[in-house]
Amino acid sequence: MADDSIAVVDLDRCQPDRCSYECKNYCPPNRTGKECITLRGEETPEGQPEQVRISEEICLGESCGICVEKCPFDAIEIINLPQELQDDPVHRYGENAFSLYGLPAPQEGQVTGILGPNGIGKTTAVRILAGELEPNLGRHDESPGWDDVLEAYRGTELQDYIADVRDGEITVARKPQYVDQIPNQFDGNTRELLERTNERDALDNLVERLSIEPVMEQSIDDLSGGELQRVALAATLARDTDFYFLDEITPYLDIGQRVTAARLIRELAEEEDKSMLVVEHDLAILDLLADTLHVAYGEPGAYGVITPPKSVRNGINEYLSGYLDNENMRIRPDPIEFEEHAPRTATHGDVLVDYPDLTKSYGDGEFTLEVEGGEIRENEVLGVVGPNGIGKSTFAKLLTGNIAPDEGDADLDLEISYKPQYVTIDQHMRVDAFLSSITDQFGSSYWNTEIAQPLQLERIMEQNLSDLSGGERQRVAIAACLSDSADLYLLDEPSAHLDVEQRVQATSAIRRYAEQQDATVMVIDHDIYMIDLLADRLMVFDGEPAVEGYAGQPQSMREGMNEFLANLEVTFRRDERTSRPRINKPDSQLDKQQKQDGEYYYAP
């Protein structure tokens, strides 16, 4: 194989007990007597059928690809690496396994961002920077050691940092990606968890700024996703360490909470000279948060490349355009584009349903939601926005009939396909079996093209639902919602745990489904970019979180965004090059001018 190609065998997908080693038997070099695809032999656990290995020296490369086509379980990838990758990888997990090229460069007193898809090596990079994983420089059959790694990075921005890692002088605090797993790892209440981490004596300030006080005495098991996210963030920032790694700070947080989290991270970096590394898929928050940005690209699960640092604006713009200037690398065939002004005027289609005024209270009047009656129109995508704890999910449950209102009739006589906010798995079955049980379109050309491919379901079809990651579970749930036959498709926070690519593709799948099937869709989400790309009209929730909520009638995107962001006192501007929305710095000249003009989002 050429030096710029690699072979990857996904051992979780390779199932030799269910095939006839088609890859090995049809391999052209094998058929001429060479040992290109062989069996792993003694490396195979006792009692299990032998999986395969591929010799990268003998393999003919991507131009052949017969083994890739013949494998019935899609377990093999033969990939031509970008010609620009002249150096050895930082780390390779083994023969025919994932390779990582490049490392991010944390800087004292700065926030370093990483932008890229899931499964591209960001966690591997962080484990190396934390000293938990000793990189092998691609030599997986030996251990070169930290001295060799330091020599490889001599003269780079990482030289001093790696020297500190080698000498054991780096301490790390890490916020996990999937905060919903915290209750499985800690048994106690919020106060007990946070007091364990209060090394900087900053807990009181963090609790106040993140509005955690109401849940301090609650059991961790009883917290919502948004509350768990804020508790995890407070627990991480309360630590006193050299290096902070924050893996996705925005899932389940509303835009106001996201801005607060970004400000807390920036303050810790600037005021205490800390190194902060943040992986984030909300581009508006990443733009506000980071000082420099590394773009990660490659083939998820096969190889990943982390670029040298870029300016945040240029890095995000290059990522959206799909072309990295300095690397001369195209990472996406088509750019992600934003419309410069309000994306669509309010639709004037026929009315699908009129819903009446509704009221719902919880407890002894502890929280009350009031919904002003309105209409949902046929063939529209209706966006729903508002702070956490304000009643958006309650409204969704009223429409679906999962809960009954205290006042008003919510029996809308509609077939509703509903994706809830928190996706739980209570079925032990494979993904393909689950989806085929929902729709008779499963496997059809339309379903594969418009739902399965955009949501990247092909490679997880044979996995069990219980084994899926948070992002994989989310994509299956979106597919299940869109695959059902319904009058109204209602998706509650579909962006959670999806990377930027997956969010754009999910947005495209939802939008295209609405247009091609003349479907009516309602989407509740905190990702402003997703709502901007997706919605025809907007429904705005306001009030006092956890006390009272009020839902106004659906309105135009311009009116809705202005009302929503005025409540939060946040303004956006448009990037001159890409028209993507960017958050204005609070009290900047542009921020003050837009507030005075009453144009919080679609400013000219």
Side-chain angles (χ1 to χ4, degrees):
M1 185 186 291
D3 291 338
D4 58 355
S5 298
I6 61 171
V8 179
V9 179
D10 187 337
L11 297 181
D12 290 331
R13 300 179 64 83
C14 181
Q15 302 180 50
D17 57 334
R18 297 176 57 198
C19 76
S20 301
Y21 294 112
E22 287 90 340
C23 59
K24 176 175 176 289
N25 295 332
Y26 283 92
C27 171
N30 277 26
R31 300 182 77 167
T32 63
K34 297 178 182 178
E35 295 188 340
C36 179
I37 300 182
T38 57
L39 304 184
R40 291 184 174 264
E42 68 280 357
E43 297 178 24
T44 302
E46 187 175 351
Q48 294 187 15
E50 293 181 289
Q51 294 176 305
V52 300
R53 60 152 55 93
I54 300 175
S55 169
E56 293 178 343
E57 289 74 24
I58 300 175
C59 179
L60 300 177
E62 193 173 4
S63 59
C64 170
I66 289 177
C67 59
V68 176
E69 294 297 324
K70 291 296 183 181
C71 177
F73 305 111
D74 197 22
I76 298 174
E77 290 185 88
I78 308 295
I79 299 168
N80 288 339
L81 296 174
Q83 294 181 355
E84 289 74 9
L85 293 183
Q86 302 295 331
D87 297 331
D88 292 328
V90 177
H91 188 76
R92 191 167 193 187
Y93 279 97
E95 187 177 33
N96 304 146
F98 180 85
S99 300
L100 174 67
Y101 295 81
L103 285 173
Q107 300 290 329
E108 290 185 2
Q110 291 195 357
V111 180
T112 302
I114 305 181
L115 173 60
N118 292 326
I120 211 74
K122 299 186 293 292
T123 300
T124 296
V126 169
R127 290 187 63 207
I128 292 171
L129 294 176
E132 298 173 3
L133 176 65
E134 188 174 293
N136 58 28
L137 302 179
R139 305 197 291 270
H140 54 81
D141 53 349
E142 57 181 285
S143 180
W146 281 108
D147 288 341
D148 287 348
V149 176
L150 180 60
E151 184 62 32
Y153 280 90
R154 194 169 300 281
T156 71
E157 290 183 289
L158 277 166
Q159 177 180 338
D160 292 341
Y161 187 93
I162 288 177
D164 288 340
V165 173
R166 178 195 62 180
D167 298 337
E169 296 179 0
I170 292 291
T171 56
V172 179
R174 182 185 303 181
K175 189 204 80 65
Q177 179 180 15
Y178 299 117
V179 296
D180 52 352
Q181 300 299 314
I182 294 176
N184 299 331
Q185 301 164 4
F186 180 81
D187 185 18
N189 65 26
T190 303
R191 185 178 300 279
E192 291 168 343
L193 172 62
L194 293 179
E195 287 181 347
R196 289 185 180 187
T197 67
N198 190 22
E199 298 169 358
R200 297 194 302 111
D201 196 27
L203 192 56
D204 290 345
N205 178 54
L206 291 169
V207 166
E208 179 183 357
R209 298 273 296 278
L210 292 169
S211 303
I212 298 173
E213 185 60 44
V215 300
M216 286 295 282
E217 307 306 326
Q218 287 189 26
S219 169
I220 291 294
D221 289 335
D222 296 333
L223 300 188
S224 69
E227 290 163 347
L228 280 171
Q229 188 69 265
R230 284 175 282 148
V231 168
L233 186 60
T236 306
L237 299 183
R239 298 277 306 279
D240 188 11
T241 62
D242 304 306
F243 172 42
Y244 295 78
F245 170 59
L246 301 128
D247 197 347
E248 292 192 41
I249 64 170
T250 62
Y252 308 124
L253 299 188
D254 62 48
I255 184 64
Q257 293 166 339
R258 294 178 184 200
V259 171
T260 296
R263 289 172 180 166
L264 285 170
I265 294 168
R266 286 218 54 83
E267 288 170 11
L268 182 55
E270 294 170 354
E271 295 173 7
E272 301 202 23
D273 213 27
K274 299 292 188 179
S275 295
M276 320 291 289
L277 184 64
V278 179
V279 174
E280 184 49 58
H281 301 302
D282 185 322
L283 298 182
I285 294 301
L286 188 61
D287 192 10
L288 180 69
L289 178 66
D291 295 294
T292 59
L293 182 68
H294 297 264
V295 175
Y297 67 95
E299 291 285 340
Y303 79 96
V305 183
I306 297 178
T307 70
K310 303 173 180 284
S311 74
V312 178
R313 179 174 179 269
N314 286 343
I316 292 178
N317 285 352
E318 289 178 17
Y319 186 83
L320 292 175
S321 74
Y323 178 76
L324 305 179
D325 290 342
N326 291 342
E327 291 74 18
N328 190 27
M329 174 61 57
R330 179 154 293 285
I331 61 173
R332 187 187 312 104
D334 300 306
I336 298 169
E337 297 177 333
F338 296 87
E339 299 184 50
E340 189 170 353
H341 300 293
R344 285 164 291 277
T345 57
T347 57
H348 296 284
D350 294 336
V351 174
L352 173 70
V353 65
D354 286 299
Y355 57 89
D357 293 349
L358 299 170
T359 301
K360 177 65 179 177
S361 295
Y362 286 105
D364 189 15
E366 294 175 2
F367 173 77
T368 299
L369 171 66
E370 293 184 4
V371 179
E372 182 180 354
E375 61 184 29
I376 301 172
R377 298 172 182 164
E378 291 183 353
N379 312 332
E380 76 170 344
V381 179
L382 178 61
V384 180
V385 295
N388 275 331
I390 210 74
K392 301 185 302 300
S393 295
T394 296
F395 177 61
K397 293 173 184 176
L398 288 170
L399 293 183
T400 59
N402 288 354
I403 59 174
D406 299 328
E407 298 178 20
D409 183 5
D411 185 4
L412 305 181
D413 193 26
L414 291 178
E415 290 292 330
I416 298 178
S417 181
Y418 175 46
K419 187 207 81 69
Q421 180 180 16
Y422 304 117
V423 180
T424 57
I425 298 295
D426 56 4
Q427 300 184 58
H428 297 284
M429 60 192 306
R430 287 185 3 171
V431 171
D432 52 2
F434 169 67
L435 291 173
S436 64
S437 69
I438 292 173
T439 176
D440 56 9
Q441 293 187 61
F442 179 80
S444 68
S445 175
Y446 172 83
W447 192 90
N448 286 333
T449 301
E450 300 298 335
I451 295 179
Q453 290 179 13
L455 294 173
Q456 301 174 1
L457 299 181
E458 297 93 333
R459 291 188 62 82
I460 62 173
M461 280 295 187
E462 295 187 352
Q463 293 188 34
N464 289 321
L465 290 168
S466 56
D467 295 333
L468 300 180
S469 70
E472 291 167 342
R473 196 177 306 163
Q474 187 74 264
R475 281 154 33 215
V476 170
I478 295 170
C481 179
L482 296 181
S483 297
D484 206 356
S485 178
D487 301 310
L488 174 66
Y489 296 85
L490 204 168
L491 299 103
D492 195 346
E493 202 155 345
S495 73
H497 299 308
L498 299 187
D499 63 39
V500 175
E501 290 284 330
Q502 292 164 347
R503 290 182 190 199
V504 170
Q505 291 180 341
T507 299
S508 175
I510 295 168
R511 183 77 212 174
R512 284 171 62 88
Y513 187 86
E515 292 173 348
Q516 295 182 5
Q517 300 296 310
D518 292 332
T520 302
V521 181
M522 179 182 293
V523 177
I524 302 169
D525 211 281
H526 295 300
D527 188 310
I528 296 294
Y529 283 22
M530 177 176 251
I531 293 294
D532 182 48
L533 289 167
L534 193 58
D536 297 302
R537 294 194 300 157
L538 207 58
M539 186 174 180
V540 179
F541 281 64
D542 190 20
E544 184 178 351
V547 178
E548 59 181 1
Y550 173 78
Q553 292 186 353
Q555 54 191 305
S556 73
M557 288 293 290
R558 183 185 293 276
E559 293 170 342
M561 280 293 191
N562 281 337
E563 178 186 338
F564 171 52
L565 295 175
N567 294 337
L568 297 171
E569 298 185 342
V570 174
T571 62
F572 282 73
R573 69 190 184 280
R574 292 278 169 172
D575 184 84
E576 295 177 358
R577 178 177 162 190
T578 65
S579 295
R580 68 178 173 88
R582 304 180 68 190
I583 296 177
N584 290 321
K585 287 191 168 124
D587 297 323
S588 66
Q589 183 176 350
L590 199 52
D591 179 61
K592 293 177 180 177
Q593 184 63 51
Q594 286 184 217
K595 287 176 179 175
Q596 181 178 325
D597 295 341
E599 290 288 357
Y600 285 73
Y601 192 69
Y602 297 112

